[in-house]
Amino acid sequence: MKITGDLNLMKKINKSIVLELLRKASPLSRAEVAKTTGLTKATVSTLVAELMEENLLYEIGTGESSGGRKPVMLVFRQEAGYAVGVDLGVRDIHAVLTDLKGTIIHETRSSLRGMNSPEQVLGRLKECLRRLMNKAPASPYGVVGIGVGVPGITDDQGTVLFAPNLGWRNVPLQSMLEAEFKVPVIIDNEANAGAVGEKEFGIGRNVSNLIYISVGIGIGSGIILKDELYRGASGYSGEMGHITVHADGRPCRCGNVGCWELYASEQAILAEAEALLSPDDAGNAEAEARPEADDSASEAPRQAELEALAALADSGNEAAQELFRRTGRYLGVGIVNIINTFNPELIIIGNRFTLAERWLAPSVREVIQERALPYHRERLRLEFAGLGLRSCVAGAASLAVSGFFAERQVSVGMNG
């Protein structure tokens, strides 16, 4: 069936194409835009004029001539607005303020120690958001939106349906934040946000089929197939931390037993490492590990403990080394199931386990070599997150920016 649209719709589509191209590849001349998009020079000139009026493009100096008059170059105005991206963790909040191209302008962390109820966490989250939004430079569009990655199942209304490691059920987070800040808010699973972050800005650029595995207190995954975020029939895909790896295993907070995250997560490895880590070890690592941030004194202790365990392994402690090997093998077992099911080009391990890549990677790769089907692993790459601990916040901010352009009926970037 032939699909048709009115002239206004075609103009919006063409405008979106021009803006997307300049967002990704500027500076470009009008002639280069026309050649790349296949649009006429007159159409490009009209659309560029509108985008300049909307403060989304501007002209810079002339480029190299190809024989005639030197062309005027166009650039996407990335500072026309700003977005906030949040990684709402179990023990801390990590948030960034970015421009419309994803450049981080400010970054902050806030501790959630001793906070269990949604009300307590929401209060701290609002403080964090307010602090970042107040730092946004003056711009035509101001703060265009907030993206929040949460460790649990969310719906398309921005309600956190179930977050077992937070102890949350049916928390209408989107509506609560929109009522407070009067800007659009997007709530998504933190692994989905991490996958978008790595696809847009990290090691997943130019990869069409990838799976991002977020390993922190629990395990989640973001699945990108054919350059699109896969959400499943009901929007709840990616809860791979709750695949069963031990039929008669330990009970999980989700209600199942033997879940993957009980054996291969940060929580799992630190539970076993408790006897190896003295309070001094954890404290020293925490002091050394703090990033430069607005609230650096509140860095989550779990991160410090994982770094302390890695430092213990570096010092030659065989028990710590063996613990990493065993955890890496459990992690590898789950990844093999993912490889054999999805046949991706790239598997990315992200979140806290990026801090221990040197000790985990050999065991994970060994298990993949032993157990993954040979045809499936032939073209596979296994990498740790290129953005480190920023995958989720970068992706969450990108989702907010995509929402801003979608509202303007100009779709930019991945919005799933």
XYZ file of all heavy atoms in Angstrom, residues 4-54:
383
model
N 0.938 8.038 1.774
C 1.007 9.430 1.373
C 0.858 10.330 2.579
O 0.382 9.921 3.638
C -0.107 9.756 0.357
O -1.373 9.531 0.977
C 0.027 8.880 -0.880
N 1.273 11.566 2.436
C 1.114 12.538 3.501
C 0.948 13.911 2.907
O 1.310 14.152 1.750
N 0.398 14.864 3.669
C 0.234 16.202 3.138
C 1.580 16.915 3.109
O 2.574 16.438 3.634
C -0.812 16.987 3.933
C -0.430 17.143 5.399
O 0.772 17.076 5.708
O -1.337 17.331 6.216
N 1.605 18.083 2.486
C 2.856 18.821 2.315
C 3.453 19.246 3.648
O 4.673 19.288 3.814
C 2.608 20.043 1.420
C 2.263 19.729 -0.040
C 1.960 21.018 -0.791
C 3.406 18.971 -0.700
N 2.586 19.560 4.607
C 3.065 19.977 5.914
C 3.815 18.846 6.607
O 4.876 19.044 7.214
C 1.884 20.437 6.774
C 2.345 21.105 8.053
O 3.253 21.923 8.037
N 1.695 20.765 9.157
N 3.272 17.619 6.501
C 3.942 16.460 7.087
C 5.287 16.218 6.411
O 6.294 15.966 7.081
C 3.057 15.230 6.959
C 3.680 13.898 7.410
C 4.048 13.958 8.881
C 2.716 12.746 7.151
N 5.336 16.308 5.081
C 6.587 16.099 4.370
C 7.626 17.144 4.766
O 8.808 16.837 4.910
C 6.342 16.152 2.855
C 5.524 14.992 2.324
S 6.256 13.384 2.731
C 7.817 13.516 1.861
N 7.179 18.355 4.979
C 8.099 19.414 5.386
C 8.693 19.109 6.756
O 9.895 19.295 6.988
C 7.365 20.751 5.404
C 8.271 21.927 5.776
C 7.495 23.234 5.746
C 8.389 24.398 6.144
N 7.652 25.682 6.136
N 7.848 18.628 7.662
C 8.346 18.293 9.010
C 9.355 17.151 8.948
O 10.361 17.151 9.655
C 7.169 17.917 9.911
C 6.291 19.098 10.290
C 5.037 18.636 11.027
C 4.150 19.825 11.370
N 2.877 19.396 11.983
N 9.066 16.164 8.100
C 9.988 15.040 7.954
C 11.326 15.520 7.395
O 12.398 15.170 7.895
C 9.376 13.952 7.042
C 8.174 13.310 7.732
C 10.424 12.895 6.687
C 7.370 12.382 6.840
N 11.263 16.345 6.355
C 12.492 16.857 5.744
C 13.280 17.736 6.716
O 14.510 17.695 6.760
C 12.156 17.659 4.480
C 11.670 16.766 3.354
O 11.958 15.562 3.331
N 10.926 17.336 2.414
N 12.545 18.495 7.505
C 13.187 19.353 8.509
C 13.916 18.506 9.547
O 15.029 18.821 9.978
C 12.114 20.217 9.171
C 12.624 21.417 9.945
C 11.401 22.243 10.339
C 11.785 23.444 11.155
N 10.590 24.230 11.540
N 13.284 17.428 9.929
C 13.896 16.492 10.868
C 15.167 15.901 10.289
O 16.190 15.784 10.979
C 12.899 15.376 11.199
O 13.511 14.365 11.951
N 15.132 15.538 9.021
C 16.302 14.942 8.368
C 17.466 15.930 8.335
O 18.612 15.592 8.638
C 15.927 14.484 6.943
C 14.973 13.292 7.006
C 17.182 14.124 6.139
C 14.350 12.928 5.667
N 17.169 17.175 7.994
C 18.213 18.202 7.921
C 18.827 18.452 9.297
O 20.056 18.515 9.463
C 17.635 19.509 7.340
C 18.634 20.659 7.490
C 17.284 19.310 5.874
N 17.970 18.581 10.307
C 18.476 18.852 11.650
C 19.294 17.679 12.180
O 20.349 17.865 12.791
C 17.313 19.159 12.595
C 17.708 19.513 14.034
C 18.651 20.705 14.068
C 16.478 19.778 14.872
N 18.817 16.462 11.949
C 19.543 15.278 12.404
C 20.929 15.208 11.761
O 21.921 14.913 12.424
C 18.733 14.022 12.081
C 19.449 12.701 12.348
C 19.613 12.388 13.825
O 19.247 13.243 14.668
O 20.106 11.301 14.128
N 20.991 15.495 10.466
C 22.275 15.468 9.779
C 23.236 16.491 10.364
O 24.396 16.184 10.653
C 22.070 15.737 8.284
C 23.347 15.868 7.439
C 24.147 14.572 7.472
C 22.997 16.273 6.015
N 22.756 17.695 10.572
C 23.629 18.744 11.095
C 23.990 18.501 12.558
O 25.068 18.865 13.001
C 22.956 20.104 10.916
C 23.018 20.614 9.467
C 21.964 21.672 9.212
C 24.410 21.155 9.162
N 23.091 17.900 13.291
C 23.402 17.547 14.683
C 24.545 16.544 14.750
O 25.418 16.631 15.608
C 22.152 16.963 15.357
C 22.370 16.481 16.792
C 21.039 16.032 17.389
N 21.243 15.434 18.692
C 21.295 14.122 18.920
N 21.168 13.288 17.905
N 21.470 13.655 20.134
N 24.563 15.607 13.803
C 25.563 14.540 13.838
C 26.854 14.911 13.115
O 27.932 14.429 13.488
C 24.995 13.265 13.193
C 23.796 12.662 13.901
C 24.171 12.061 15.217
C 22.987 11.313 15.836
N 23.322 10.743 17.164
N 26.745 15.741 12.059
C 27.900 15.888 11.165
C 28.317 17.325 10.898
O 29.170 17.550 10.036
C 27.596 15.197 9.833
N 27.755 18.312 11.585
C 28.150 19.681 11.289
C 29.605 19.924 11.738
O 30.096 19.216 12.628
C 27.206 20.665 11.992
O 27.259 20.543 13.390
N 30.270 20.917 11.092
C 29.732 21.897 10.149
C 29.586 21.345 8.736
O 30.422 20.583 8.261
C 30.774 23.021 10.198
C 32.053 22.341 10.551
C 31.674 21.207 11.465
N 28.491 21.757 8.091
C 28.232 21.408 6.700
C 27.684 22.646 5.986
O 27.057 23.509 6.616
C 27.192 20.282 6.593
C 27.568 18.889 7.116
C 26.338 17.995 7.099
C 28.691 18.280 6.280
N 27.892 22.711 4.686
C 27.299 23.788 3.893
C 25.901 23.383 3.451
O 25.521 22.210 3.503
C 28.163 24.072 2.667
O 28.113 22.967 1.769
N 25.129 24.335 2.983
C 23.801 24.029 2.464
C 23.889 23.062 1.288
O 23.058 22.146 1.156
C 23.099 25.323 2.047
C 22.652 26.194 3.228
C 22.202 27.566 2.736
N 21.672 28.402 3.806
C 22.444 29.083 4.673
N 23.766 28.980 4.601
N 21.888 29.825 5.612
N 24.904 23.257 0.447
C 25.071 22.370 -0.707
C 25.378 20.940 -0.267
O 24.862 19.969 -0.845
C 26.185 22.895 -1.612
N 26.194 20.798 0.796
C 26.511 19.460 1.308
C 25.284 18.804 1.917
O 25.079 17.589 1.770
C 27.645 19.559 2.335
C 28.997 19.863 1.727
C 30.052 20.162 2.773
O 29.719 20.774 3.815
O 31.226 19.791 2.550
N 24.462 19.592 2.595
C 23.225 19.060 3.163
C 22.315 18.572 2.040
O 21.728 17.484 2.114
C 22.509 20.122 4.020
C 21.124 19.620 4.445
C 23.337 20.462 5.246
N 22.194 19.366 0.990
C 21.337 18.979 -0.134
C 21.848 17.703 -0.792
O 21.062 16.794 -1.104
C 21.282 20.119 -1.156
N 23.147 17.625 -0.991
C 23.730 16.436 -1.638
C 23.528 15.192 -0.789
O 23.182 14.120 -1.299
C 25.220 16.674 -1.886
C 25.913 15.520 -2.606
C 27.388 15.834 -2.848
C 28.085 14.674 -3.551
N 29.527 14.962 -3.789
N 23.724 15.318 0.518
C 23.624 14.163 1.415
C 22.183 13.691 1.576
O 21.902 12.492 1.603
C 24.211 14.507 2.803
O 25.568 14.917 2.641
C 24.155 13.301 3.729
N 21.246 14.619 1.682
C 19.848 14.254 1.936
C 19.060 13.967 0.667
O 18.010 13.329 0.724
C 19.131 15.383 2.700
O 19.146 16.568 1.883
C 19.805 15.657 4.037
N 19.534 14.470 -0.477
C 18.787 14.312 -1.718
C 17.710 15.366 -1.906
O 16.942 15.318 -2.872
N 17.633 16.316 -0.986
C 16.672 17.411 -1.107
C 17.208 18.476 -2.055
O 18.416 18.597 -2.251
C 16.397 18.030 0.267
C 15.809 17.096 1.327
C 15.788 17.786 2.680
C 14.407 16.636 0.930
N 16.318 19.263 -2.615
C 16.764 20.337 -3.504
C 17.436 21.437 -2.682
O 17.158 21.609 -1.483
C 15.585 20.945 -4.274
O 14.725 21.622 -3.356
C 14.829 19.870 -5.035
N 18.284 22.221 -3.338
C 18.964 23.320 -2.652
C 17.966 24.348 -2.139
O 18.144 24.910 -1.048
C 19.977 23.968 -3.593
C 21.172 23.081 -3.911
C 22.170 23.794 -4.813
C 23.366 22.879 -5.118
N 24.354 23.553 -6.006
N 16.909 24.575 -2.903
C 15.891 25.542 -2.470
C 15.177 25.066 -1.209
O 14.931 25.843 -0.278
C 14.874 25.765 -3.601
N 14.841 23.767 -1.182
C 14.190 23.202 0.010
C 15.104 23.299 1.223
O 14.681 23.707 2.313
C 13.806 21.732 -0.242
O 12.853 21.671 -1.294
C 13.207 21.103 1.015
N 16.368 22.950 1.038
C 17.327 23.022 2.149
C 17.456 24.454 2.646
O 17.460 24.696 3.868
C 18.701 22.463 1.712
C 19.773 22.797 2.761
C 18.619 20.961 1.511
N 17.542 25.403 1.765
C 17.674 26.808 2.176
C 16.480 27.255 3.004
O 16.622 27.949 4.018
C 17.823 27.708 0.946
O 19.052 27.463 0.307
N 15.268 26.846 2.587
C 14.060 27.202 3.335
C 14.064 26.580 4.725
O 13.774 27.254 5.726
C 12.807 26.739 2.573
O 12.763 27.377 1.299
C 11.544 27.064 3.352
N 14.405 25.290 4.804
C 14.396 24.596 6.089
C 15.487 25.130 7.014
O 15.272 25.287 8.226
C 14.584 23.089 5.860
C 13.473 22.396 5.078
C 13.823 20.936 4.841
C 12.135 22.515 5.796
N 16.653 25.416 6.458
C 17.743 25.961 7.260
C 17.358 27.323 7.827
O 17.629 27.630 8.998
C 19.041 26.056 6.415
C 20.064 26.974 7.098
C 19.635 24.666 6.206
N 16.712 28.147 7.019
C 16.275 29.465 7.496
C 15.326 29.324 8.690
O 15.429 30.067 9.680
C 15.607 30.239 6.363
N 14.405 28.364 8.617
C 13.467 28.142 9.732
C 14.202 27.657 10.979
O 13.911 28.110 12.095
C 12.398 27.134 9.316
C 11.427 27.662 8.277
C 10.309 26.681 7.987
O 10.181 25.679 8.744
O 9.560 26.897 7.009
N 15.128 26.740 10.790
C 15.873 26.197 11.935
C 16.757 27.271 12.576
O 16.963 27.256 13.796
C 16.705 24.990 11.493
C 15.892 23.734 11.157
C 16.751 22.695 10.432
C 15.287 23.124 12.427
N 17.254 28.188 11.767
C 18.031 29.290 12.326
C 17.128 30.229 13.121
O 17.506 30.708 14.194
C 18.766 30.033 11.208
C 19.910 29.225 10.605
S 20.740 30.058 9.236
C 21.490 31.444 10.073
N 15.937 30.472 12.616
C 14.981 31.305 13.357
C 14.605 30.665 14.687
O 14.317 31.360 15.664
C 13.717 31.521 12.516
C 13.899 32.473 11.350
C 12.629 32.622 10.538
O 11.578 32.105 10.984
O 12.691 33.247 9.455
N 14.607 29.343 14.712
C 14.269 28.607 15.941
C 15.476 28.425 16.854
O 15.398 27.715 17.862
C 13.689 27.236 15.564
C 12.354 27.335 14.843
C 11.927 26.019 14.220
O 12.558 24.979 14.521
O 10.969 26.019 13.427
